[in-house]
Amino acid sequence: MKKTIVVTGATDGIGRVCAHTFAKNQEEFILVGRNADKLAALVYSLQVTGAVVHSYVADLSSAKETFLLSETIRKNHPQIDVLLNNAGAYFDQYTLTKEGIESTFALNHLNYFILSLGLLPSLKKSNEPRIVNVASRAHMGVSLDFNNLLGEKEYSGWKQYQRSKLMNIYFTYELAERLNQTKITVNCLHPGFVKTRFGQNNDGLAKFLLTFAQNVFAISEEKGAETSIFLSTDPSVSGVSGKYFVKKEILKSSEPSYDVAARRNLWSYTEDLLKHKFSFKFPGF
């Protein structure tokens, strides 16, 4: 049965591979990317397959743009079957978005939170709705410091990236619990260390080391996309929710990731930030 699938970060890496795979199945899908030219080229390459393709240009590090995007998609697409939250990045240096929020937190966490909650009404109209969050094994070895959640003190790009991936898992587990009386499933995954453009937004040593590591150790984009595609479309995971997947198998995430108090604190912190800084109001559960 044809599905309507939203893919963020669609113009590069895993997102692009997922889009091409979904196109082979003649799915109808909604692509989100930051670069208008790359997005247009991707749409053109996919339309020749006969798939129905919609595209939206948005900078998902901007909370306002992400919120407006969710409203636009909800209006134009009253039913969505799958939301694949894939967009993310690594920022070696401490940087702020145009809205004054630390960039890793804004893109890797707020983006997932805003888009998922904003699209709940469209997902609820599906017979088998799914939210799939691309996290990472990088979440291992860290916990959250709520006195330094935005990395203002002694910023480490890698540690902040790790924490953002832990936030993805916290968000997955908490949202799955909050939606347990609905048909919507929420799962997350580690795609592997993938040879993509990950980290290419940085300069100097960080860019060099990431490029070197990818050339030596990384798996292909196609291999890295397998679990995202599996969780988005495979019937074997129908009804499975609140799980962490690696290589299409359920695995245990880190010990801190099961800290219920921490995940609820993160939810409250995020909700308060969006309410007080932006006055966002999300559709109810």
Side-chain angles (χ1 to χ4, degrees), residues 90 92-93 199-200 202-213:
Y90 163 69
D92 182 56
Q93 300 297 317
Q200 296 301 304
N202 297 284
D203 296 314
L205 184 61
K207 183 176 181 178
F208 171 78
L209 291 175
L210 279 167
T211 301
F212 175 79

Side-chain angles (χ1 to χ4, degrees), residues 193 195 209-219:
F193 182 48
K195 189 176 182 179
L209 291 175
L210 279 167
T211 301
F212 175 79
Q214 286 177 338
N215 288 335
V216 176
F217 302 110
I219 61 176

Side-chain angles (χ1 to χ4, degrees), residues 13-187:
I14 291 172
R16 186 181 61 213
V17 172
C18 288
H20 279 284
T21 302
F22 297 147
K24 292 176 185 176
N25 298 327
Q26 300 288 297
E27 309 288 11
E28 177 174 356
F29 49 101
I30 300 158
L31 305 178
V32 180
R34 185 178 60 180
N35 185 304
D37 292 337
K38 290 170 73 172
L39 191 58
L42 176 61
V43 170
Y44 179 79
S45 71
L46 294 170
Q47 284 176 331
V48 298
T49 67
V52 179
V53 186
H54 310 274
S55 63
Y56 296 91
V57 177
D59 176 2
L60 296 180
S61 70
S62 164
K64 290 180 181 177
E65 282 194 41
T66 307
F67 185 77
L68 290 173
L69 172 70
S70 71
E71 291 190 317
T72 302
I73 293 177
R74 197 168 69 237
K75 178 181 176 182
N76 295 342
H77 308 276
Q79 179 178 317
I80 291 167
D81 299 289
V82 180
L83 168 60
L84 173 55
N85 284 312
N86 170 72
Y90 163 69
F91 298 90
D92 182 56
Q93 300 297 317
Y94 180 81
T95 58
L96 299 176
T97 67
K98 56 191 175 185
E99 295 158 346
I101 300 174
E102 191 276 317
S103 296
T104 308
F105 179 85
L107 178 59
N108 293 6
H109 171 62
L110 287 186
N111 149 38
Y112 285 22
F113 191 97
I114 295 168
L115 205 53
S116 297
L117 268 60
L119 294 181
L120 286 180
S122 294
L123 285 159
K124 284 181 177 179
K125 293 180 181 176
S126 169
N127 289 325
E128 194 188 321
R130 303 181 183 189
I131 296 174
V132 179
N133 297 321
V134 177
S136 171
R137 191 180 183 280
H139 81 280
M140 300 281 186
V142 295
S143 58
L144 298 188
D145 177 359
F146 285 91
N147 293 314
N148 189 32
L149 205 58
L150 302 185
E152 303 96 328
K153 306 170 190 174
E154 300 180 355
Y155 181 82
S156 161
W158 178 243
K159 286 292 185 184
Q160 190 68 357
Y161 177 77
Q162 287 185 283
R163 294 184 188 107
S164 75
K165 295 292 103 180
L166 176 58
M167 292 178 203
N168 293 159
I169 296 175
Y170 277 143
F171 174 61
T172 297
Y173 292 168
E174 183 64 19
L175 184 59
E177 183 173 300
R178 289 173 181 248
L179 293 173
N180 64 6
Q181 298 301 311
T182 74
K183 295 179 292 183
I184 303 174
T185 61
V186 192
N187 291 294

Side-chain angles (χ1 to χ4, degrees), residues 193-265:
F193 182 48
V194 186
K195 189 176 182 179
T196 66
R197 289 182 55 79
F198 177 79
Q200 296 301 304
N201 55 297
N202 297 284
D203 296 314
L205 184 61
K207 183 176 181 178
F208 171 78
L209 291 175
L210 279 167
T211 301
F212 175 79
Q214 286 177 338
N215 288 335
V216 176
F217 302 110
I219 61 176
S220 68
E221 294 175 348
E222 289 73 20
K223 197 74 178 172
E226 287 181 354
T227 303
S228 293
I229 294 166
F230 172 76
L231 289 176
S232 296
T233 60
D234 200 280
S236 69
V237 288
S238 176
V240 176
S241 191
K243 302 299 181 184
Y244 170 69
F245 283 78
V246 180
K247 295 181 179 179
K248 300 191 282 191
E249 299 288 340
I250 297 172
L251 290 187
K252 187 176 181 180
S253 51
S254 71
E255 201 62 42
S257 72
Y258 294 100
D259 184 336
V260 176
R263 84 177 195 221
R264 290 179 179 167
N265 283 344

